[in-house]
Amino acid sequence: MTTAPSGYPVLTVPDTSPAALAALTTEIAATAAEYDRSGDVPLAGLRAAHRGGYLTATIAARYGGPELDHHRVARILVALGEGDPSVALIAANNLGVHRTQADTGGWPDTVYAELVRRSLDGPALVNAVRAEPELGAPARGGLPATIARRTESGWILDGRKSFATGGRALTYHVVWAATDESPQRVGHFLVPADAAGITWHDTWDHLGLRASNTHDVTYTGVAVPAENFREIPFVDGVYRDPAATSGPASFGHSALYVGVARAARTAFTAYARARVPSALGKPIAETERIQAVAGEIESQIVQAETLLYGTLHRLAAGEPGVPQQLSAVKVLIARSAIAAVETAVAALGNAALTRHNPLERHLRDVLCVRVHPPQEDAALLAAGRAILRPGA
């Protein structure tokens, strides 16, 4: 095993060439329908992503990782989303945690080193566990009901969380909680997935992304070392959740749904080429109506990809004003991805809604883009207030 100067293992640099990403999509797509039906953790897809180094693409160079830029990570997540968006969602969340560590640190070195070393042998997944049954999404405001109580040796964590993507496949939970101190503090607690007191509840029975295992989880008297707390400071006495605003790393979620739209395009064209109505005597792909529909699907995907990659390039170039536009751009990408899939489904009618046709699954999956923060209404309200503000 080759090690970096820091002592961390040197990780695989993933191949982001079009050919390699197309091969990744094909391999993962082969089991996507099976996992969608069963709801099991999509292990085959996750192992394929791990084998190519795609699950550790954002680990910082100082930790032996490739530290790929946002543009190349987006391309990876488009490819994963095109193959199996449940794999892509788990991967996007995992890559997001590693990106945060690369940018701001906060993990104890021994803990993070162990996580990176485990990533050599197989998918060592980590995710932020934040939503709660009573509160809902943290980006809407409020403080967690999950409480960490101070002890002589660290913390004791109690609470219930919802929508913990990755489920039992996780290696670490990054748990959003408040302390019992006065004044109270809020932040994330780094919890090993095998810690005593963690109970999973199989609550995920969703329309789309069915294999993402986004179940509820309860923490009952879970012991957490003192150094495993990463505080999120209050600003002027007010807590502002980081998920309420978009950063470039949050475009990973947008990217995976662009992949779903691409998968829908593939399914549509395959059906159109194969479908030969007896009254027509030729494939419907040769009719102007279906060709125009295909053009509309393609236009929506071109729009989504241009917004995705173009915005990331503008950010990298340091163009002023772009960071303030990210939430609005995410809304537009989501609209385009949904429109591409809905256009394909509408054109084919009943044939697209049967479970024998992958378009049915792609439609269910792409609609999940709307749940990722900031949601459309919040993003549009913030954009409108910004331009109407005096002096704007």
Side-chain angles (χ1 to χ4, degrees), residues 331-356:
V331 168
L332 297 175
I333 294 172
R335 288 178 178 177
S336 292
I338 292 171
V341 181
E342 288 184 337
T343 299
V345 170
L348 300 186
N350 275 335
L353 293 173
T354 174
R355 296 193 74 181
H356 299 294

Side-chain angles (χ1 to χ4, degrees), residues 137-371:
R140 293 285 183 175
L143 295 177
T146 302
I147 296 296
R149 294 174 174 81
R150 202 73 166 90
T151 69
E152 291 184 2
S153 59
W155 305 91
I156 295 295
L157 194 66
D158 290 282
R160 179 163 177 151
K161 294 293 188 179
S162 300
F163 307 122
T165 295
R168 295 173 180 85
L170 296 176
T171 300
Y172 265 90
H173 305 187
V174 181
V175 183
W176 184 58
T179 71
D180 67 340
E181 302 165 306
S182 182
Q184 191 173 50
R185 293 187 291 165
V186 176
H188 293 114
F189 291 81
L190 310 175
V191 182
D194 58 359
I198 297 177
T199 304
W200 284 98
H201 310 277
D202 292 337
T203 51
W204 185 247
D205 188 13
H206 210 255
L207 179 74
L209 295 173
R210 292 183 55 79
S212 66
N213 282 255
T214 306
H215 297 298
D216 281 18
V217 59
T218 298
Y219 304 93
T220 306
V222 177
V224 182
E227 63 271 20
N228 283 25
F229 175 48
R230 302 168 63 224
E231 183 179 359
I232 302 172
F234 285 62
V235 178
D236 297 327
V238 177
Y239 176 77
R240 293 181 174 86
D241 193 82
T245 57
S246 296
S250 71
F251 270 47
H253 289 146
S254 301
L256 77 89
Y257 294 101
V258 174
V260 176
R262 290 172 61 92
R265 178 182 61 188
T266 298
F268 175 84
T269 56
Y271 183 91
R273 290 167 181 155
R275 172 65 173 156
V276 183
S278 58
L280 185 62
K282 61 181 180 181
I284 62 173
E286 297 180 19
T287 66
E288 287 190 355
R289 175 179 178 272
I290 293 300
Q291 290 168 357
V293 170
E296 174 63 22
I297 295 168
E298 181 68 5
S299 296
Q300 294 293 347
I301 292 173
V302 167
Q303 181 166 267
E305 290 182 341
T306 300
L307 286 166
L308 173 64
Y309 299 131
T311 301
L312 291 175
H313 278 306
R314 293 176 67 200
L315 274 171
E319 287 191 31
V322 177
Q324 290 72 40
Q325 299 171 355
L326 297 186
S327 293
V329 171
K330 288 180 68 176
V331 168
L332 297 175
I333 294 172
R335 288 178 178 177
S336 292
I338 292 171
V341 181
E342 288 184 337
T343 299
V345 170
L348 300 186
N350 275 335
L353 293 173
T354 174
R355 296 193 74 181
H356 299 294
N357 190 319
L359 274 171
E360 178 267 348
R361 171 164 48 90
H362 301 326
L363 177 62
R364 289 188 286 106
D365 287 338
V366 80
L367 292 176
C368 295
V369 69
R370 291 175 170 147
V371 308

